[in-house]
Amino acid sequence: MEVEGTDESRTSWSDMSGDGLTVFYDHAGKKRKQDPAPEAVIRIIEQDEEEEEEGEMSPDHMKDSEEPSNKRVKPVGKSNSLTGVIPQMKTPALKRFSQSISRSISFRTEARPLPPALPRSRQKPSSFPRRRSSQCWSDTVESHDLTAKEIKRQEVIYELTQGERQLIEDLSLVKKVYYEPMLKLDIMSESELGQIFGTLESLIPLHTDLLSRLERLRGSEKTVGEVGPTLLNWFPCLEAYVTYCCNQVGAKALLDQKKNEKRVEHFLRLCQESSFSRKLDLWNFLDLPRSRLVKYPLLLKEIQKCTPPDHPDEDYLPDALELIQNIIAEVNKKTGEAECQFYRRGLHYLEDSQRLPEIQQSRFIYCHGELKNNKGQRLHVFLFELALVLTKPGEEKDGGHVFNVYRQPLPNALINLEEIPDGEAGGGGTFRGAFTGGNDKVKNCFRVSSRGRSKFNPYILQANDSFSRQQWITCLRQAIVQSRDRTAQTSQSRISLHPDSGLCHIAELSLSSDTDMADHTSR
C-alpha cells in the first residue's frame, strides 16, 4: 500500500515475513482564496462553524458595539502634512500642487471626525487545525497509591482506550463529512464511493465494541486490572481487516484518478482546509484503520513490560500478542496478493513473448516505483516475486493508469546485479548527458543484466537518491536468492520423482558453482 499522493516520484517498498507482505509506503492564519463553490457544499462544511460563532462575542466586543466612541478626534496638525515640509513658493501651480497633496494625506480630519470603531469579529475556528487531547491517565484521577510501574501500565491501557475512541470519531467523521455529502451532491457515483471507502463503515461497530469492553474494565478508582482476556477474546474480530486492506490498493488508485476532476478536487480541498481535518486529506483518514492495526502489538508489548510476574495478565498477554501478530501477518499476505493482482491486471504487453509465466505465478511485489534508464526515460519498474518488469506508464480512455511493458521482462532467478559507484556509470556519454549535461557525476545507479538470455539487454537504472538505490538493491538481492532457492527446490522435487543416481549427480553439478564443478570433476 502506498501512501502518497504528490507529484514527486515514489517507490513502494515491502518486506517479506514468510509469505506475508508488509508495505512501507498543514493553514493557520490566512484563509486561502478559493474557487466559488456550490452553496450546498459550503453549507455542509461550515455549518458547525456558524453555529459555534452565533451568539459568541467577547464582553469587550459587546461593550464596543453598545457604547460607540464619543471622543473628539484631535485634527492632525499641518506640520504632519507635506504643507509644513515643502517651503512656501510664489509659483501658483506649485502651491496648488502642495495644497492638494496636503489635503489627500491629512485623512480629512478637519472635515469630519473618525467614525466609531467597529467591533472586531472573532476569527473562524476553521482557520486552525483541531488538535487531539493529550490527556494522560494521571490527569483523570485525583489521587492514587500506585508504584511507578503500575502507573505506567495504567497509562498504556488508557492510551489503548483513547486510541479506540479517537479512531471511532475519525471513522464516523469520514462517513458523515465525506461519504454522505459526496453521495448526496452526486460528486461521485455510489459504486465509485463504494470502491473507495470499501468496508469502512463495518469497522465502526467493531471498535465501538472494544471501547465499551475496555471502559467496563475500569474500576471505581479508574484503574484496570486484567486486560489480557478482553483483548484475547476480541482480536479475532480484526480478521475483517483482510477485506478492507485488500480493497485499499484499488481504492487509492481510483481516488487519485478522481482527484483530477474539478468538483472532486474542490470538495476535498474544502474539507482539508476545515478545522475537523487536522490538515489530513481523505486518504489519511482511510488509512487510519491499517495504522491502528499495526499498533496493537506495540501497545501489548508495553503493557507486558509494566505487568508484574505474578499478575493474572501474564497468562493471557503472550497469547494475545501471538494472536494479533498472526492476524497482521495474514492481512499483509492477503494485501500483498491483492496488490500483485491489481498491478498484473494493469500490465499491457506489446508482444506475446513478454508474457512470462513467472509474472503470473508471482504472489506478491517486493517493490515498485520510478527509475530512469541511461536515456533519461522515466520507467515504472515492478519487482514481482519471480520477475522484474520494466514499464512505461500510460493512461486509458477512462482516465485509469496502464503500464506498457518496456522490452523483455526478466525472471529473478536469471538476474545479474551490479552496483555502480557514483561517477562510474558504464552508459557512456549518453547517460551522463541525459541527467547532468556532461558536467556532474552520475549518481545512484545500478546495472541489471541477464544470465544466458540474449533478449534482455543490460540496463543501467538510476534511482532518485542513495536511499532509494539501496532499497532497490536490497530487494533485488532478496528476490534473486529466493527465486534461485525456489528453482532449486523445484528441481529437487522433480528429481525425487525419478530416483536415478545419475540424474541426481547431474542436478548437483548444474546447481553448483564452476569451482565446485571443477573440484568434483577432478575427483
Side-chain angles (χ1 to χ4, degrees):
M1 290 168 286
E2 301 176 1
V3 181
E4 23 253 143
T6 64
D7 295 334
E8 299 178 0
S9 59
R10 296 196 175 184
T11 301
S12 303
W13 306 106
S14 42
D15 180 27
M16 295 306 304
S17 177
D19 286 337
L21 174 68
T22 304
V23 182
F24 298 104
Y25 298 71
D26 4 30
H27 0 246
K30 297 183 180 180
K31 185 174 181 181
R32 287 190 346 193
K33 186 176 180 182
Q34 302 175 354
D35 298 331
E39 184 179 357
V41 176
I42 298 176
R43 184 166 57 253
I44 290 172
I45 302 303
E46 300 184 352
Q47 180 178 2
D48 294 339
E49 301 169 3
E50 293 174 359
E51 292 177 356
E52 288 181 17
E53 191 170 339
E54 201 171 81
E56 290 187 10
M57 186 176 292
S58 62
D60 294 339
H61 296 164
M62 293 295 294
K63 184 176 180 181
D64 292 341
S65 61
E66 293 174 0
E67 301 178 6
S69 175
N70 294 322
K71 295 181 180 180
R72 291 188 177 183
V73 180
K74 185 178 180 180
V76 177
K78 291 185 178 181
S79 60
N80 293 337
S81 66
L82 289 184
T83 307
V85 177
I86 302 177
Q88 295 292 333
M89 303 291 293
K90 295 182 179 181
T91 306
L94 181 59
K95 185 175 181 180
R96 288 195 301 270
F97 174 73
S98 172
Q99 292 174 349
S100 65
I101 293 179
S102 175
R103 285 195 300 269
S104 65
I105 68 171
S106 64
F107 304 104
R108 300 182 181 181
T109 54
E110 297 178 344
R112 72 180 82 163
L114 290 174
L118 296 175
R120 293 174 295 176
S121 60
R122 183 173 60 87
Q123 193 169 12
K124 291 186 177 182
S126 62
S127 301
F128 302 93
R130 184 178 298 169
R131 295 181 178 180
R132 290 291 197 191
S133 174
S134 58
Q135 189 181 45
C136 301
W137 174 82
S138 303
D139 301 329
T140 65
V141 295
E142 296 181 359
S143 62
H144 55 78
D145 187 17
L146 301 176
T147 64
K149 192 171 185 180
E150 291 171 334
I151 294 174
K152 177 62 176 177
R153 173 181 161 86
Q154 295 301 321
E155 295 286 4
V156 179
I157 296 176
Y158 185 77
E159 180 184 353
L160 172 64
T161 305
Q162 289 300 101
E164 293 300 305
R165 179 176 286 108
Q166 292 172 359
L167 179 62
I168 295 168
E169 292 175 357
D170 286 334
L171 298 184
S172 302
L173 180 145
V174 171
K175 178 185 176 184
K176 180 180 179 181
V177 180
Y178 286 95
Y179 181 87
E180 293 178 355
M182 284 195 287
L183 180 62
K184 186 177 297 184
L185 297 173
D186 198 26
I187 294 178
M188 290 192 206
S189 66
E190 186 174 0
S191 61
E192 291 172 336
L193 291 172
Q195 183 175 346
I196 291 175
F197 288 84
T199 58
L200 182 73
E201 187 176 357
S202 67
L203 303 181
I204 299 178
L206 188 152
H207 290 278
T208 303
D209 179 39
L210 176 60
L211 178 60
S212 62
R213 294 189 191 191
L214 293 174
E215 289 180 335
R216 287 196 298 266
L217 295 177
R218 302 188 72 181
S220 57
E221 298 181 357
K222 297 184 178 181
T223 59
V224 176
E226 297 181 48
V227 72
T230 299
L231 297 176
L232 187 62
N233 293 329
W234 181 81
F235 277 155
C237 300
L238 292 175
E239 293 179 353
Y241 270 71
V242 173
T243 303
Y244 181 77
C245 292
C246 287
N247 178 74
Q248 279 195 299
V249 181
K252 180 66 166 59
L254 179 58
L255 179 61
D256 290 341
Q257 175 185 336
K258 297 298 292 184
K259 283 181 179 179
N260 295 324
E261 298 181 11
K262 188 174 182 179
R263 291 189 68 206
V264 176
E265 186 275 335
H266 181 65
F267 177 86
L268 296 179
R269 176 162 51 82
L270 284 178
C271 290
Q272 188 172 357
E273 292 174 354
S274 300
S275 61
F276 61 80
S277 70
R278 308 191 307 278
K279 299 181 180 180
L280 303 176
D281 61 13
L282 175 56
W283 182 251
N284 292 136
F285 284 107
L286 295 176
D287 198 43
L288 285 176
R290 184 198 60 82
S291 302
R292 182 64 181 171
L293 179 64
V294 298
K295 194 171 183 179
Y296 287 122
L298 303 177
L299 292 171
L300 256 67
K301 290 178 181 179
E302 287 298 317
I303 296 176
Q304 271 189 304
K305 292 180 182 179
C306 306
T307 302
D310 56 345
H311 196 281
D313 265 352
E314 277 294 301
D315 297 331
Y316 297 98
L317 290 177
D319 294 337
L321 180 59
E322 182 180 2
L323 177 59
I324 186 60
Q325 287 175 337
N326 292 336
I327 292 175
I328 293 176
E330 181 67 15
V331 171
N332 287 334
K333 176 183 176 183
K334 296 298 183 181
T335 304
E337 293 175 355
E339 182 186 28
C340 185
Q341 293 174 7
F342 176 81
Y343 286 115
R344 276 208 313 254
R345 290 194 298 266
L347 295 179
H348 178 67
Y349 299 95
L350 303 179
E351 301 176 3
D352 290 338
S353 61
Q354 295 175 333
R355 300 178 180 272
L356 295 182
E358 287 85 355
I359 299 176
Q360 299 302 320
Q361 295 170 7
S362 296
R363 297 165 298 172
F364 58 86
I365 300 178
Y366 284 100
C367 61
H368 68 92
E370 185 180 280
L371 296 171
K372 294 180 181 178
N373 62 7
N374 60 345
K375 297 180 181 179
Q377 296 174 324
R378 296 181 181 271
L379 305 177
H380 198 99
V381 182
F382 295 92
L383 181 57
F384 290 97
E385 179 190 13
L386 302 175
L388 177 68
V389 183
L390 282 63
T391 69
K392 287 185 176 180
E395 191 170 322
E396 294 180 327
K397 295 180 180 179
D398 59 354
H401 292 287
V402 65
F403 299 95
N404 299 308
V405 177
Y406 180 70
R407 305 295 173 83
Q408 183 67 22
L410 179 63
N412 293 343
L414 300 179
I415 291 179
N416 278 332
L417 176 64
E418 179 185 356
E419 290 190 59
I420 300 178
D422 292 344
E424 298 183 14
T430 304
F431 194 96
R432 186 181 300 275
F435 297 101
T436 66
N439 297 323
D440 300 325
K441 294 182 179 180
V442 179
K443 298 180 179 181
N444 310 319
C445 300
F446 58 93
R447 181 184 290 106
V448 176
S449 58
S450 172
R451 299 172 60 190
R453 286 204 175 190
S454 58
K455 285 188 176 181
F456 189 94
N457 297 323
Y459 284 105
I460 297 177
L461 300 173
Q462 184 184 44
N464 295 325
D465 49 51
S466 59
F467 176 79
S468 179
R469 177 182 70 169
Q470 190 58 46
Q471 292 294 322
W472 273 103
I473 291 174
T474 301
C475 289
L476 280 165
R477 286 173 176 167
Q478 185 178 2
I480 292 170
V481 171
Q482 293 190 1
S483 295
R484 291 177 183 176
D485 290 344
R486 179 187 175 107
T487 303
Q489 293 173 3
T490 304
S491 301
Q492 291 293 339
S493 63
R494 291 175 180 175
I495 293 171
S496 64
L497 297 177
H498 304 279
D500 189 321
S501 59
L503 292 176
C504 293
H505 178 70
I506 295 174
E508 290 176 0
L509 289 178
S510 62
L511 294 173
S512 302
S513 64
D514 296 339
T515 305
D516 294 338
M517 291 171 61
D519 294 342
H520 191 83
T521 305
S522 63
R523 296 174 191 168

